[in-house]
Structure formats: structure tokens, C-alpha cells
Amino acid sequence: MPAADTGSEAWSAWLTSRTADQLDAARGLIAAVKADRPRAAAELLERWNDIAIALGNAFAASGLVQQVHPDAAIREQSEQAQLEAHKLLTDLSLDREVYDLMVLDDAEERVSGLDDEGERIRNFALRDFRRAGVDRDPETRDRIRAINERATELGQIFERNIRDDGTTVKLRPEQLAGLPQDWVDAHPVGDDGLVEISLEYPDVVPMLQFGSDRQARVAVHTAFNNRAWPVNDDVLAELLALRQEHATLLGYDGWPEYDAEVKMIETGDAIGAFIEKISKAAEASALRDRDVLLERVRQDRPDAEVLDGADVNYYLDTVRRERHDVDSQEVRRYFTFDKVRQGLLDVTGRLFGLRYEQVDVPTWHEDVTSYDVSLAGTPLGRVHLDLHPRANKFNHAAQFTLADGVTGRQLPEGVLVCNFSRGLMEHREVVTLFHEFGHLIHHLLGGHQRWVRFAGVATEWDFVEAPSQLLEEWAWDAGVLAGFATDDEGHAIPADLVAKMRQADDFAKGLQVRTQMFYASVSYRFHRDVPADGDAILALSRELQAAYSMITPLDTHFHAAFGHLDGYSSGYYTYMWSLVIAKDLFSAFDQDDLFDAEVAGRYRDRILAQGGRKDAADLVEDFLGRPFGFESYADWLAE
């Protein structure tokens, strides 16, 4: 990989080697399979694995670079490379000749010698072929191919519009009242006498949490929730319609039914039922907490009739400070970015037996830090941490793959892409960092598989968030935090303050769960009911917000920047589904000793290191000694 200050020519050559060259290799491997027509299933699957490795490498490099590279030309090249990768994947998934080879291997003498993993790979390949439409008539296959190519292009446009939205908000200096002094110092007054606020998280989150000027909060909230609007309305409408057509061409009732088939939840109707179940469980506490917040709003604005999006975070912080004695500005003194980052490495190193060694390797930006990771002296892989905002960079938080791990072939390599401040962090940002790092650990530990199909975070999609949500618990433990959360004088965050933080976090838990169910319902119902245009999208969004959220919207269009509508499609429910499992997993740990080596090692080896070798429910049962249940989540919700 070229260095950050290397010219675009070197980066273009590197990207070509990781994308176009890998796709050419995959095409050659596909042609060889069709020419040789291997008789034994074992040989065919080995070749299938080689094809998947080459394709996966192209997808990984193009998917990352388009989100992080500062050079627009390189981002554009990576986007084009990903389109080519999707095109080849679509062509392969609709290749009847390759499919027939896989099907014809049903004769006993041709499948002999396959172990359980080999049989699982073969079954997954056959399922993926059929879900792609390979057994449909030529006209249907051609239409599906066109839909896939256009949907990929639309997804890129949708994400690019969000990423490249450079809107800012200008405020008068006095409108920064309530903001932390270090934040104010980092936002000087311009020549026009105004302060410019970006819509990146390090600007938006403190403004909405601490800014006492209502007009300023409304301005920032409105701008943030109108990113990529109206340009993404038409993009989203077309994408939703194409997904609906895709599913119906394959004989499904709609996209959620198609999407859910390969997840733990299994059916589209079950998504709706799950949303209703969680919403009902949280309803009483959500109503109670909303009324508490609205009462507090009315102390400042007696004529306030509703709790809206510009007020909710500010008054959440206010009530937690007044009722629970938790001052978020006091809390953030203990969370300096550099110490938090090192603390994260120390915690996960101790928990899972990992060793991190910082390495000086070329990357796409000088902000990136890289580490080689090992377990008991054996190399596990490499991670890159790209944790601060900049222009034209992915503006949320996520783990990206740079390489999937395949035993004897390539070590796993992963990237965290986040947008944290360089100085003091909010505790919620610390929790987010632990969450995303949970994905990275899963990618590394699960990245030592014979079959690339099972490498890393390769379980059902509605289990993917469980390991990352589980790791959040270590960011709430006083003993764990004491190891890295210290103020300027070196004093560790007091245990009684952490206890108050946990109590304060419990306040409005139901309200937050209902907000998540609103997002889940948008994800599900947009794909089930398929609004035809921007007006219909907004109308359905408002209907769902009224039904599930307890927070009244302002004149905003949050759906235009709801990036999960691309990647997660109808499956945003998976965050809460995974949380149910994560709470059950956490029940197996000793709450007084979160570093208990036996439990942590068993969790590492029986779940994380397994990748996708088994169904997620089987992995969880192997760890817990029983099927997962709802009780731990219900207890947490009732706290």
C-alpha cells in the first residue's frame, strides 16, 4: 500500500493490483473450472474457494478505499472497481454452467470425502445460486443482472451523497453558550463574526448535548437531519423499487421475505413481529421518561407541547445531571482520546490474550495508526485505526475489511473508520469505539479458516452485532475504566461516578429502544410497502415515527442520510436482535471479574474464532450450554 503522501499514480497502480488484477484472476479461475469440469466435489470446492478469495480481495480494497481516501480520483477508481466486482459476482451467480457442475455432484461417488465444513460450503453455494436466480429463464436472469448492476450503482450514489455533503452551520459566538471550553476554543470566530460548525459527529454531538441556545440546537439538528436531501430521495425510491422487483422475480412476497431467509429471524413477517414485541416491552418506560423530559423542557419553555429532536439530547443530559448528579462535561475530563485508544488495546489484549505491536506501514492518511496483532506468539493479522473526521471521508463508524483471513493463504486485515475528536471524548463515544473494535476482534480471531466463506464476521447478519455489543459492557465497568480513564492529574475516574453514570444511562432506556424500533420500522416498512417518491417516503417516515418513536420530528428528512438503508436494507432490526443475544452472552461472565480467563477464553474460542463454521444459534448454545433466551434482555430493559 502506498504512503499517505504518495501521488495518485502509485495509489492507482496499487488499487489496480488489488481490484482489477484480482478480478482478472477470478475470471481465469472461473474459465478453468468450466473448461476442466472437475469430477470430484472436493476439487471443485477448492477451486470455488480460490475464486471467492480473489473476488473478496477486490471487494475489500474497493469498498474501503472509496470511503477513506482523500483523493477524489482514487475514490472514483475504487467505486468503478466495486461496480466491476459486483458485475462479475452477478455474472458468476447467474452462470448456469458452474451451477450445474455443483448440482451434478449429488452422486455419492462425487461428494465422498467432503467433511462437514465442505458440505456446508457446498450447500451455501447452491443456496446462493438459487437465491441469485440461476435456475430462472434467460429473460429473468438478464433482468436480475441489470437490477443488480443498477442497485449497486444507486447504493454508491446514496452513500456518496451522504459522505460528500459539505453543509455547515454558522452561529453567533454567544450561541455557543453551554459548550465545553475546549470545544469553543477549537471553533474560532471567523472574519464574518460567526462560528462555522460542521455536520461531523465531533461538532454535532456536543452541540446537541450541551448547547443551551435552543435556536442553535434547532439549526444544527435540522441541517444534520437534512444531509443529502433532496438529492437522495429519488435515489432511494429507485433503489427500493428495484429491490422489490428483484424479490418478486424470484418468487418472494417482497424484499424483507427475501432478505430474512438467510438470517436467524428467517421470515419477513417475523421482523415486523419482533419490532412490535420490543416496542411493547419498552412502551411504559418510554412514555414515563418522555413525560419526565417534557416536564423539564417546560421549566424553560412553558409553552412546549412536545419533545422534539432538537431538545431530546440536551434535556437528557440536563435530567441526568440534575437527578442523577452526572455532569457529562465533568465525565469527559477522564476520556482523553490517546489514553482511550491505548486503554482499548490494553483491555482487549488482556481479555483475549492478544498482543498489539504498532507498526509504521504506508496507509491512505497520516491519521491512521496500524498494529500487528498476535495470540500466544502466533500472528493473527493487522489492524488500521482511522478514527478522526476529515472531508469526504465516511462520516459514521464502522469496521471495514481489507483482507479476509484464509489459513495458509493470507492473514486477516481490518480497518476501523470512525469520527472522534482528537482531545476529550464523550463517554458515549468511548462505548462506540469499544463496539466497533468488537467487530475488528471478530474479524481477526475468526479470520483463520480453510474456507474464505467462513472467515471473520461471516455469521448470519442478525448475529453480527452481538459480539460488538457485548464488548460495550467493558466500557461501563468501573474497574476496567480505572485502567485508562484518568484526568490531567492522573486520577482515575471514581467508581461512584461510574455507578451514577450507569444509573443515569438507565434513564430513558425505553425511550432510546423505541427510537431504535422507529429506525428498524423504517428499514422494514420502506422495503415492505415501497414508497414511490420523496413525498411518499417522508409520509411513511412520519407515520412510523408517530407509531414507534416518542420524539416529534422537526422539518427534516433523516432518511436521506440513513446510510443503513443501503447496507442493511430491510434488516436494521438486527441491532436489537443482536442486543438480545449480547445480553444473554454477558450473563455468562462474572460481573465482579470481567477478565475471568476461563470464560473469556471459552467465548473467544467457541464463538469469535469459529467465524461462520456453524450457525450462530449453535455457536451461542455451545458457549452458554443452552439456547439463547429473552430473559437477560428483559431484565436489562426493566432495570
Side-chain angles (χ1 to χ4, degrees):
M1 184 186 302
D5 57 356
T6 305
S8 60
E9 185 175 337
W11 265 99
S12 179
W14 177 86
L15 190 58
T16 296
S17 72
R18 293 294 295 266
T19 56
D21 291 354
Q22 288 288 297
L23 294 178
D24 284 343
R27 292 185 186 98
L29 291 165
I30 294 166
V33 164
K34 295 199 292 190
D36 297 343
R37 303 187 63 81
R39 298 284 300 170
E43 181 186 351
L44 177 62
L45 291 179
E46 288 291 351
R47 295 193 182 200
W48 184 254
N49 198 40
D50 292 340
I51 294 167
I53 291 170
L55 266 171
N57 287 341
F59 271 110
S62 60
L64 170 70
V65 171
Q66 68 178 294
Q67 299 288 1
V68 299
H69 202 281
D71 189 325
I74 299 302
R75 294 197 305 274
E76 183 177 346
Q77 181 183 343
S78 65
E79 287 183 354
Q80 185 59 42
Q82 191 163 73
L83 288 173
E84 290 298 317
H86 274 286
K87 184 178 186 302
L88 180 55
L89 179 61
T90 297
D91 289 343
L92 176 59
S93 69
L94 292 170
D95 193 318
R96 187 61 188 250
E97 188 176 354
V98 178
Y99 170 68
D100 287 343
L101 283 174
M102 200 80 70
V103 171
L104 290 175
D105 286 344
D106 282 334
E108 181 65 29
E109 67 273 12
R110 301 179 69 180
V111 298
S112 61
L114 287 183
D115 58 13
D116 289 345
E117 285 190 27
E119 189 60 35
R120 182 173 170 85
I121 281 290
R122 180 173 172 274
N123 289 336
F124 275 21
L126 288 171
R127 183 190 69 182
D128 292 345
F129 268 120
R130 289 164 183 154
R131 281 173 52 79
V134 73
D135 54 351
R136 303 287 161 160
D137 61 76
E139 292 77 14
T140 300
R141 293 203 303 272
D142 287 345
R143 178 55 187 159
I144 290 173
R145 181 180 286 106
I147 288 173
N148 282 334
E149 292 177 6
R150 179 57 177 164
T152 298
E153 183 180 7
L154 289 169
Q156 287 187 343
I157 295 170
F158 189 77
E159 292 182 356
R160 188 191 313 128
N161 288 339
I162 300 169
R163 186 178 66 238
D164 294 351
D165 188 308
T167 302
T168 61
V169 176
K170 290 197 172 185
L171 302 173
R172 301 184 306 278
E174 63 268 22
Q175 289 184 288
L176 305 188
L179 272 297
Q181 189 59 47
D182 62 297
W183 191 95
V184 174
D185 293 342
H187 294 77
V189 178
D191 293 340
D192 58 359
L194 300 175
V195 178
E196 188 171 37
I197 309 298
S198 78
L199 298 183
E200 303 293 347
Y201 284 100
D203 277 3
V204 172
V205 172
M207 173 58 70
L208 297 182
Q209 184 172 357
F210 301 126
S212 58
D213 187 294
R214 158 80 178 175
Q215 289 185 335
R217 294 198 309 273
V218 168
V220 171
H221 170 84
T222 301
F224 183 78
N225 286 281
N226 275 330
R227 288 171 300 152
W229 180 81
V231 64
N232 265 350
D233 271 0
D234 289 343
V235 177
L236 183 57
E238 184 180 356
L239 183 60
L240 293 170
L242 286 176
R243 286 173 175 166
Q244 172 74 3
E245 182 185 358
H246 188 170
T248 54
L249 282 172
L250 294 174
Y252 295 86
D253 288 341
W255 183 264
E257 197 69 19
Y258 172 80
D259 189 36
E261 183 183 38
V262 292
K263 294 181 169 64
M264 297 179 77
I265 204 164
E266 295 183 341
T267 71
D269 288 345
I271 297 175
F274 178 74
I275 292 171
E276 293 300 324
K277 178 179 180 178
I278 297 297
S279 296
K280 189 65 177 176
E283 183 175 22
S285 63
L287 288 169
R288 179 195 64 216
D289 295 339
R290 182 197 64 181
D291 290 345
V292 169
L293 288 171
L294 185 55
E295 179 185 0
R296 181 60 186 83
V297 172
R298 286 170 175 160
Q299 291 181 30
D300 295 341
R301 299 201 324 276
D303 59 344
E305 298 181 355
V306 297
L307 177 67
D308 65 37
D311 279 343
V312 61
N313 287 332
Y314 177 75
Y315 283 97
L316 269 173
D317 194 69
T318 301
V319 169
R320 286 168 175 164
R321 182 176 63 251
E322 295 174 352
R323 294 197 176 196
H324 299 279
D325 194 25
V326 174
D327 185 340
S328 296
Q329 296 205 39
E330 172 69 13
V331 169
R332 66 196 295 273
R333 294 194 307 112
Y334 294 96
F335 295 108
T336 304
F337 171 80
D338 288 338
K339 289 190 287 187
V340 170
R341 182 179 60 186
Q342 185 58 49
L344 173 68
L345 301 179
D346 293 342
V347 168
T348 53
R350 180 182 173 189
L351 184 63
F352 298 118
L354 306 178
R355 182 175 182 272
Y356 299 92
E357 179 183 357
Q358 187 168 349
V359 290
D360 185 11
V361 295
T363 62
W364 53 91
H365 196 272
E366 60 186 9
D367 280 348
V368 181
T369 54
S370 305
Y371 301 85
D372 282 342
V373 188
S374 58
L375 173 63
T378 301
L380 270 185
R382 176 171 290 173
V383 300
H384 307 278
L385 308 183
D386 186 354
L387 302 180
H388 303 303
R390 59 180 178 270
N392 306 120
K393 174 190 168 184
F394 177 78
N395 51 17
H396 195 50
Q399 179 255 320
F400 288 82
T401 295
L402 191 51
D404 281 310
V406 183
T407 303
R409 302 283 293 272
Q410 57 188 37
L411 287 174
E413 195 166 357
V415 185
L416 277 198
V417 182
C418 303
N419 291 275
F420 301 124
S421 62
R422 299 174 187 273
L424 299 179
M425 300 176 68
E426 309 297 328
H427 181 252
R428 74 172 75 176
E429 293 180 306
V430 178
V431 173
T432 297
L433 180 56
F434 271 69
H435 173 104
E436 298 301 341
F437 205 81
H439 290 304
L440 201 59
I441 293 292
H442 197 178
H443 177 70
L444 286 184
L445 286 170
H448 297 266
Q449 312 291 341
R450 176 185 177 187
W451 306 103
V452 70
R453 177 65 173 77
F454 298 152
V457 187
T459 62
E460 296 97 317
W461 199 249
D462 41 6
F463 178 73
V464 163
E465 298 296 335
S468 54
Q469 289 168 330
L470 176 64
L471 195 60
E472 293 179 22
E473 301 286 355
W474 277 257
W476 282 102
D477 183 83
V480 173
L481 292 176
F484 65 87
T486 57
D487 62 16
D488 289 341
E489 288 74 43
H491 301 129
I493 188 169
D496 63 341
L497 177 55
V498 177
K500 292 176 182 177
M501 289 162 56
R502 299 198 71 149
Q503 292 171 355
D505 187 64
D506 282 337
F507 171 69
K509 185 186 301 178
L511 198 66
Q512 292 166 343
V513 167
R514 288 293 294 243
T515 298
Q516 286 296 303
M517 289 302 92
F518 161 55
Y519 297 151
S521 70
V522 165
S523 169
Y524 170 58
R525 291 279 301 279
F526 274 25
H527 287 87
R528 193 195 75 176
D529 299 341
V530 194
D533 54 30
D535 290 341
I537 289 171
L538 180 61
L540 181 54
S541 176
R542 294 285 168 83
E543 173 191 328
L544 295 173
Q545 187 149 24
Y548 294 101
S549 176
M550 303 294 180
I551 301 166
T552 301
L554 298 179
D555 186 16
T556 56
H557 306 76
F558 99 98
H559 59 267
F562 188 24
H564 290 86
L565 287 172
D566 176 35
Y568 277 70
S569 68
S570 61
Y572 189 84
Y573 79 92
T574 61
Y575 278 94
M576 199 60 66
W577 180 279
S578 292
L579 186 60
V580 171
I581 300 174
K583 292 301 180 184
D584 210 8
L585 293 174
F586 189 57
S587 70
F589 285 82
D590 182 350
Q591 311 299 298
D592 295 323
D593 180 12
L594 293 187
F595 292 105
D596 181 279
E598 188 279 327
V599 181
R602 185 159 47 89
Y603 169 70
R604 176 195 65 204
D605 297 339
R606 296 191 182 186
I607 292 186
L608 299 181
Q610 295 299 312
R613 291 180 200 169
K614 299 179 181 179
D615 290 349
D618 294 332
L619 295 177
V620 173
E621 184 170 357
D622 191 30
F623 171 67
L624 292 176
R626 57 168 174 78
F628 73 90
F630 192 75
E631 293 78 9
S632 296
Y633 176 86
D635 291 344
W636 167 78
L637 193 58
E639 286 176 354

